[in-house]
Amino acid sequence: AAGSGSQPLWLAGQVYLTGPYRGSPYGLSVVVPAKAGPFNLGEEIVRAAISVDPHTAALTVTSDALPQIKDGVPFRLKTVNVTVDRPHFMFNPTNCAQQAITGSISAVLPGGSAGAVVPVATPFAAAGCKNLPFKPKFTALTRAHASKANGASLHVTVSSGPGQANIAKVKVDLPKQLPSRLTTLQKACPDALFNANPASCPAASVVGAATAVTPVLKSPLTGPAYLVSHAGAAFPDLVIVLQGEGIALDLVGNTDIKRGVTVSTFRSLPDAPISTFDLVLAQGPHSALAAHGNLCKARLNMPTALTGQNGAVIKQTTRIAVSGCPNHRHGKKVRMRHRKRRGGKE
C-alpha cells in the first residue's frame, strides 16, 4: 500500500522462490506493478535472501532495500503484506511449544543511508502435536572382522514415515564390546578450527559419514562426521556436517564415557521431516570404535531413547546385528554329507 492519504493505493504483485542469492542457498523475487490509473511506472522488483540456520534449520529472510522513489515519484510505502499460500509448500512444526516469528525493520534516511532499526515479533504456536504418531524405526549393524589396527564399525539407520512427529533427541548407550577408541579421541579437531572451516580439520578427526533424506529437498544431504574437542570438555563431540543444495546443517552429539560405556546424546535436532538417516562409523586407522572379544559370540545390546518434537518418548534395547560371522550350522551339514558319500568313514 502506497500513498500519503488515509486511503492508500493497494498494488498486487507476485512472490517467486529463486535459487541462491547474496550467498544464501535460496531467495525471493517480489514483483509489484507500479501502476496507478493512467500512470504506469513499470514493475518494481525487490530481492530477498533466505538463509538456513545450521543448528535449527530455521529460515531467515532478509530483503534488499524497498524502493522509495521512481522517476521523481515518491512511493511513500505504508503497508507491505506478503501472503504465502501455495498448497503443500510449507510444513507445520511438530512441536507445539510457544514460539515467535521475529524480525527487524530498518528506516531509510534521506540520501539512502540506514536509519533506526525497530525489532518486531508476533507469537506463533501450532496445535494438536500430542496427537501425532511417533513410531521411528532404529536399527544398528557392525562387522565381525574387527581388529586392533582398524577398530570396529557401526552403521545406524533411523527411518520415519510421513505424518509423524519429527525426532527432537536421540540417546544411545553403546555396549562394552564396542568402546570408544581413545587414540582416535585424542585426534579430535579443536572447536576453533572446526568453527572457522570444518574442511581444515585434520583427516584423523573424520570418523564417519552420514546421509539424510528429506521430502523438503530434491537430493539427500550428505557429509562427514567429525570428532570436535572443547577445551573444558572431557570428551569430544561427534558433529555430523550435512550438506546439499547449498544448505549446511550441523548435528551435534555430546559424548560421555562411564565405566567403559560410551553414551552419545543428540540433544537438539531440527524440527524438520527426515525420511531416512544413515550414519556409518567406518573401520580404519582412525576408527571411532574399538572391539572387545568375539563380536559374533557377544550379545550386543544398545539401550536407545528417542524423543519426539511433541514430547513422545520411545525407549528400547536395540540389538546390534553382526555381519560376516561364520555359518557353523552350514559347515556341519557339509561334513555330514561328506561322510555319507564315503560310507560313514572320514
Side-chain angles (χ1 to χ4, degrees), residues 108-302:
V108 177
L109 299 177
S113 60
V117 178
V118 178
V120 294
T122 184
F124 171 83
C129 298
K130 294 291 185 182
N131 300 324
L132 292 173
F134 184 62
K135 299 179 180 179
K137 184 179 180 182
F138 189 100
T139 60
L141 172 71
T142 188
R143 296 182 60 187
H145 303 293
S147 66
K148 184 176 181 180
N150 292 316
S153 67
L154 183 65
H155 181 184
V156 173
T157 301
V158 186
S159 58
S160 181
Q164 297 191 37
N166 300 319
I167 299 175
K169 178 180 177 180
V170 177
K171 177 178 177 292
V172 297
D173 296 17
L174 296 179
K176 288 187 175 181
Q177 294 89 341
L178 293 173
S180 290
R181 206 172 181 187
L182 297 181
T183 55
T184 301
L185 293 177
Q186 295 168 356
K187 296 179 176 63
C189 181
D191 54 2
L193 188 61
F194 177 86
N195 294 333
N197 181 12
S200 62
C201 288
S205 66
V206 180
V207 294
T211 300
V213 178
T214 171
V216 179
L217 302 174
K218 295 180 181 179
S219 304
L221 297 171
T222 62
Y226 295 87
L227 287 178
V228 180
S229 61
H230 307 278
F235 301 103
D237 292 334
L238 178 67
V239 182
I240 302 167
V241 180
L242 296 174
Q243 294 179 316
E245 299 187 20
I247 294 174
L249 295 176
D250 293 346
L251 308 182
V252 181
N254 303 126
T255 302
D256 194 11
I257 301 176
K258 297 179 179 179
R259 299 179 182 178
V261 174
T262 299
V263 180
S264 184
T265 306
F266 290 83
R267 303 182 187 279
S268 182
L269 298 176
D271 189 2
I274 299 295
S275 304
T276 306
F277 176 81
D278 274 294
L279 171 63
V280 177
L281 302 178
Q283 289 179 281
H286 306 299
S287 66
L289 303 176
H292 285 169
N294 189 331
L295 299 182
C296 292
K297 296 181 179 181
R299 191 174 184 87
L300 304 179
N301 290 330
M302 182 170 63

Side-chain angles (χ1 to χ4, degrees), residues 292-318:
H292 285 169
N294 189 331
L295 299 182
C296 292
K297 296 181 179 181
R299 191 174 184 87
L300 304 179
N301 290 330
M302 182 170 63
T304 306
L306 304 171
T307 303
Q309 294 283 349
N310 62 348
V313 178
I314 294 177
K315 293 184 178 181
Q316 66 183 41
T317 299
T318 303

